[in-house]
Amino acid sequence: MPTMTVSGHQYDLDSRSVEAALQGALPEPIQEHFVVINGRRWPPKQVLALVTGLDRADFTTHQARRALTRLGFTAARAASPRERHRAGSPAAAPPRPAVSSTAERSESSVEALRPFIGLWVAVRGDEVLVAAPSAKEVVAWLAQHRQRAQSMFRVLDSEQAINGAAPQ
Amino acid sequence: MRFAFRALPAAGGGTLTPRPVIDIALEGLPDAPMECLLDTGALRTRMSAELAPLAGIELSGALTEEFYIGGLKTAGVLARVGLTVTDGTDEFSWDAPVWFCDPWPHPFGWAGLEGFLHYFLVTIRAYDGYLDIEPQP
């Protein structure tokens, strides 16, 4: 297990211990940087604070990001709202779509939702803001972080759940 | 207002056919509009009963009806609530009957005749994968 120093303290960490430390927690809103853990996007500072118990003021985003990438997690930078708009993924208003753009957007939305099968999600455009076992937890998260979703629903865990409502 | 059909991942892999849905916000729950399947064959507009307390909607003592859905017996409780739909640019609010159901096996609500279709001119363009709704006076 690799040893790393964060804010003057030494920790023995590996990817499994990080994943375990996140059990039961929900990712906070992504400001700019994120790491991918268990198929979800997490703010690096939130992860390192949960793993080490340190105060977030004790380290920077870049230190957190570097520590987590050393453990094998993917890190990236979220597109700014302007960049997302340019990329054709509007937050709330679907553009007057052509057939191909609708199909492309559907595909990216589906892939964003796939890790959350069986969970309630709140989405904005193609971005999954939060996923949780109940609608109550999703609503609480939105209120806590002052986020507004475009839509909330449960990602199907069984195709019967949809076929009963709308026969194919 | 235009709403793109929404596709969902299939639990067994692949993708389910994109469906016509509208995101409808309950009064008291403006930050979490509920995805509702547009169901032109449904008389009622229905949502899961677990949403009612989150929106502060009181259901005790209200009119209740039992019915079967997909072979499952469930009970719906009627409440007249404020609803809002927006596409991010335009917004429309109306007051409508919604049946809050328990149990509710579906991952979304249903937008039916009462509660939704009575209030809008709806144009479904399934080939292009979207629907347009226009509030009616």
Side-chain angles (χ1 to χ4, degrees):
Chain A
M1 188 176 284
T3 300
M4 60 179 64
T5 303
V6 183
S7 190
H9 301 82
Q10 284 205 329
Y11 297 91
D12 293 326
L13 295 174
D14 62 9
S15 57
R16 283 190 185 175
S17 62
V18 172
E19 289 167 358
L22 301 183
Q23 292 295 323
L26 292 175
E28 294 173 1
I30 304 298
Q31 303 298 330
E32 186 177 358
H33 296 277
F34 65 84
V35 288
V36 179
I37 302 173
N38 291 331
R40 305 177 78 165
R41 293 179 175 189
W42 295 79
K45 289 188 78 170
Q46 182 192 5
V47 174
L48 203 58
L50 284 168
V51 169
T52 62
L54 289 171
D55 191 285
R56 294 180 201 197
D58 292 342
F59 52 86
T60 67
T61 297
H62 290 283
Q63 286 171 320
R65 185 181 151 124
R66 193 163 53 244
L68 294 165
T69 52
R70 277 179 56 199
L71 297 176
F73 297 112
T74 302
R77 188 189 295 250
S80 69
R82 181 182 290 182
E83 286 166 335
R84 276 199 287 270
H85 183 71
R86 263 205 310 271
S89 176
R96 303 280 161 178
V99 176
S100 58
S101 68
T102 302
E104 286 164 12
R105 193 171 57 249
S106 292
E107 200 170 308
S108 59
S109 300
V110 166
E111 290 315 309
L113 291 169
R114 196 174 297 284
F116 308 114
I117 286 176
L119 296 176
W120 281 84
V121 295
V123 302
R124 196 164 52 209
D126 287 347
E127 183 184 3
V128 178
L129 298 173
V130 59
S134 71
K136 185 177 182 179
E137 289 166 88
V138 169
V139 168
W141 186 95
L142 291 170
Q144 181 186 352
H145 297 289
R146 299 181 180 188
Q147 296 285 311
R148 183 164 220 164
Q150 177 189 348
S151 184
M152 178 174 75
F153 54 92
R154 185 165 54 81
V155 185
L156 302 166
D157 51 6
S158 151
E159 291 179 28
Q160 286 177 326
I162 197 168
N163 291 342
Q168 291 183 318
Chain B
M1 285 179 264
R2 178 162 294 180
F3 293 86
F5 283 19
R6 185 166 289 143
L8 291 170
T15 303
L16 296 176
T17 305
R19 312 274 172 150
V21 295
I22 311 106
D23 302 313
I24 300 176
L26 290 166
E27 186 179 4
L29 208 51
D31 293 337
M34 185 67 200
E35 178 177 285
C36 293
L37 184 74
L38 179 68
D39 191 340
T40 58
L43 176 60
R44 314 290 199 202
T45 290
R46 301 187 187 277
M47 293 187 186
S48 170
E50 70 179 296
L51 300 176
L54 302 180
I57 298 167
E58 178 59 55
L59 295 181
S60 61
L63 179 63
T64 301
E65 69 174 16
E66 291 188 337
F67 62 103
Y68 285 85
I69 182 168
L72 175 73
K73 187 178 184 181
T74 186
V77 183
L78 176 63
R80 197 159 185 97
V81 296
L83 302 174
T84 299
V85 67
T86 179
D87 63 358
T89 305
D90 298 319
E91 181 177 298
F92 178 73
S93 296
W94 72 107
D95 190 59
V98 175
W99 294 79
F100 291 93
C101 303
D102 181 26
W104 182 249
H106 301 297
F108 37 63
W110 282 2
L113 191 64
E114 295 175 1
F116 185 76
L117 289 165
H118 275 163
Y119 299 84
F120 294 91
L121 171 65
V122 179
T123 305
I124 303 172
R125 297 182 64 100
Y127 178 82
D128 294 322
Y130 66 86
L131 62 96
D132 286 326
I133 64 171
E134 185 181 330
Q136 294 301 285

